[in-house]
Amino acid sequence: MPTSESLAGSARQTKATLAQWQACRARSLQLALPLSDADATAQSMDDASPTKWHLAHTTWFFEEFVLSRFVEGYRRFDAAYAFLFNSYYDAVGPRHARSKRGLLTRPSLDEVYRYRAHVDEALAAALAGEMLCEQALELVTLGQHHEEQHQELLLTDILHLFSENPLRPAYVRQPRVSGALPIDTSLSWVNFPGGIKSVGHKGRGFAFDSETPAHDVLIRPFQLASRLVTNRDWLAFIDAKGYDEPGFWLSDGFARAQALRWRAPLYWEQRDGVWWQMSLAGMLPLELDAPVSHVSFFEADAFARFSQARLPTEFEWECAAADLPVVGNVLDFQRLRPMPAAKQAASTPSQMFGDVWEWTASPFMAYPRFRASEGAVGEYNGKFMNGQFVLRGGSCATPPGHVSATYRNFFYPHQRWQFAGVRLAKDLP
Ligand SMILES: [Fe+2]
């Protein structure tokens, strides 16, 4: 029988869940604020989704997995939305083609806002009334972290959409100055001992199923670069004809780079001999000391070989990050771009969290004894453990509080539109 203490504890927990969930929902609206209905409807490529779809799909997640299953008497806003806004859950039912999301001129953006309000009202009432069981509360928390992932995608998809517009519109205007912190462009190497290390999520707090179970791995002694690879570093690769030197590249990567005529990271443009970069603030002169961003795994891997180094494994990265505070240049309207490294102690690597996701040499695979979550949400991560590589650390578009040292992001090795960059590693004897 629950004690009054445990009941008070669970009431506190529900209150905290409600507050965090509301803050998350409000952030999505804030992110959409600078956009017109047309901005929010267009889709620039199959990998990217319209803002309107992100806003509706994250709402559908709560409607489908929480309200319609755990709240008696809940009435769906529109039965057709289950087809329009299901992303990839085969167990839930059929869905609209991913490549055709940009054709959804209806429902309008206003209608999607009404859909969000309908779901928010029902879920807020269920949370405030403590009507949800533990399983439903866990799904609310999963839905919140899911929405945070879509908030980052909303930004990277808008950046891609605007980069396709010859006007190169700015999503936000912001100062270009790097801030008051002294910049440190020197690169040193931080040594890490080898040994049997525990990796993966353990203990309390939210984690995606792909971060579990925690397990032991054997790490050889290694070095990690004290900072991320910069745009200046990348120019040296370009100047050395790195994009044309097959010796630096994996075969699939070289074939793709040649076929698509990659000459620089995505969003770089040379005008009258000067490099510019498309950003969420529109076109900006290339900031030489800022971390390179929007490179594929193939490019990151080639750059590492050019540098006589390699990419870290995901577990090397995790061991290096395990004792660091989770602070860095994450989503903030004042920046929304990777920033140069600030001066800090030479004994720890800087920029581990935020700025750009760091490609690792590790394929996105299940951890030993992995078990996908029960039910339809078991499709969340497990079925994507094929052909993708792990990225660690979060980016300047990642909502605050979303990443941790054990968090595993993943993309296909050719994909470039995320804020993805490079940190080098080397073997130690
Ligand atoms: Fe999703």
Side-chain angles (χ1 to χ4, degrees):
M1 193 169 170
T3 63
S4 60
E5 218 168 82
S6 72
L7 283 174
S10 81
R12 258 199 312 276
Q13 186 55 40
T14 307
K15 235 180 185 169
T17 304
L18 176 61
Q20 287 165 8
W21 169 77
Q22 283 174 325
C24 172
R25 297 288 285 168
R27 190 190 295 115
S28 294
L29 298 183
Q30 192 191 6
L31 289 171
L33 211 54
L35 303 171
S36 67
D37 194 327
D39 293 334
T41 299
Q43 179 178 24
S44 58
M45 62 168 170
D46 290 1
D47 285 340
S49 297
T51 293
K52 199 166 72 180
W53 188 90
H54 286 301
L55 293 173
H57 161 70
T58 48
T59 303
W60 165 82
F61 191 98
F62 293 112
E63 182 172 69
E64 181 64 46
F65 294 118
V66 182
L67 292 171
S68 65
R69 297 176 192 216
F70 295 95
V71 176
E72 221 180 293
Y74 173 74
R75 288 219 340 262
R76 285 180 186 261
F77 182 77
D78 186 326
Y81 284 13
F83 180 79
L84 293 184
F85 301 123
N86 175 4
S87 52
Y88 53 66
Y89 295 89
D90 290 317
V92 172
R95 58 190 177 269
H96 183 61
R98 182 180 184 174
S99 58
K100 293 188 172 180
R101 289 172 186 169
L103 302 181
L104 297 176
T105 54
R106 312 290 176 89
S108 68
L109 183 57
D110 278 347
E111 193 71 359
V112 167
Y113 284 139
R114 280 194 285 280
Y115 177 39
R116 287 183 69 92
H118 173 85
V119 166
D120 285 356
E121 196 183 321
L123 192 46
L127 282 165
E130 296 178 31
M131 292 150 59
L132 297 179
C133 63
E134 202 170 316
Q135 190 191 354
L137 286 173
E138 282 174 11
L139 286 164
V140 172
T141 302
L142 176 65
Q144 181 195 315
H145 288 262
H146 167 253
E147 182 147 353
E148 289 170 358
Q149 290 180 319
H150 278 275
Q151 288 167 351
E152 173 149 9
L153 292 171
L154 185 158
L155 288 170
T156 54
D157 293 355
I158 278 294
L159 175 57
H160 190 266
L161 176 69
F162 282 5
S163 79
E164 293 287 326
N165 184 329
L167 298 176
R168 302 286 191 273
Y171 164 75
V172 286
R173 298 259 169 231
Q174 86 257 72
R176 224 197 128 236
V177 288
S178 298
L181 292 173
I183 291 171
D184 187 358
T185 58
S186 63
L187 186 142
S188 57
W189 295 90
V190 184
N191 293 353
F192 292 91
I196 293 173
K197 310 284 185 186
S198 173
V199 295
H201 175 81
K202 42 194 166 294
R204 297 163 70 84
F206 175 83
F208 285 103
D209 55 4
S210 57
E211 299 170 54
T212 64
H215 60 286
D216 288 345
V217 293
L218 176 63
I219 301 278
R220 305 281 182 196
F222 69 101
Q223 293 184 308
L224 212 52
S226 60
R227 60 158 172 79
L228 294 164
V229 169
T230 62
N231 290 326
R232 189 191 304 276
D233 298 331
W234 205 269
L235 281 174
F237 178 66
I238 293 172
D239 290 345
K241 307 271 182 272
Y243 277 96
D244 291 322
E245 175 47 59
F248 297 144
W249 292 78
L250 292 169
S251 176
D252 287 350
F254 192 66
R256 188 171 285 261
Q258 294 293 305
L260 299 180
R261 297 178 192 277
W262 288 351
R263 316 303 303 165
L266 185 64
Y267 303 142
W268 284 32
E269 264 181 65
Q270 210 170 16
R271 295 178 178 174
D272 300 326
V274 178
W275 283 105
W276 291 70
Q277 183 175 24
M278 179 60 183
S279 75
L280 287 166
M283 289 300 284
L284 297 175
L286 189 68
E287 204 167 354
L288 293 177
D289 294 323
V292 73
S293 186
H294 305 293
V295 292
S296 61
F297 168 85
F298 289 136
E299 289 163 289
D301 174 77
F303 180 89
R305 209 162 288 117
F306 159 76
S307 307
Q308 298 180 305
R310 60 173 174 80
L311 299 178
T313 68
E314 65 167 318
F315 299 134
E316 287 171 339
W317 190 97
E318 187 171 323
C319 291
D323 296 326
L324 298 179
V326 186
V327 292
N329 174 21
V330 291
L331 200 166
D332 178 335
F333 275 90
Q334 294 306 308
R335 294 189 295 263
L336 286 181
R337 67 184 196 281
M339 304 292 283
K343 253 197 175 347
Q344 73 172 63
S347 56
T348 54
S350 65
Q351 301 171 299
M352 290 291 278
F353 294 103
D355 289 303
V356 290
W357 289 98
E358 303 180 24
W359 282 110
T360 74
S362 303
F364 182 52
M365 302 284 283
Y367 285 172
R369 303 183 185 190
F370 167 77
R371 288 201 19 220
S373 305
E374 300 270 315
V377 290
E379 293 185 50
Y380 199 108
N381 285 310
K383 71 182 189 181
F384 299 108
M385 292 170 170
N386 168 42
Q388 311 206 49
F389 281 83
V390 173
L391 302 95
R392 294 295 195 114
S395 83
C396 56
T398 307
H402 184 70
V403 282
S404 69
T406 62
Y407 190 100
R408 309 171 79 200
N409 199 356
F410 52 93
F411 282 98
Y412 289 101
H414 65 276
Q415 289 177 315
R416 310 171 89 197
W417 93 110
Q418 294 301 300
F419 284 96
V422 192
R423 182 186 302 274
L424 298 175
K426 286 183 178 179
D427 298 327
L428 270 178

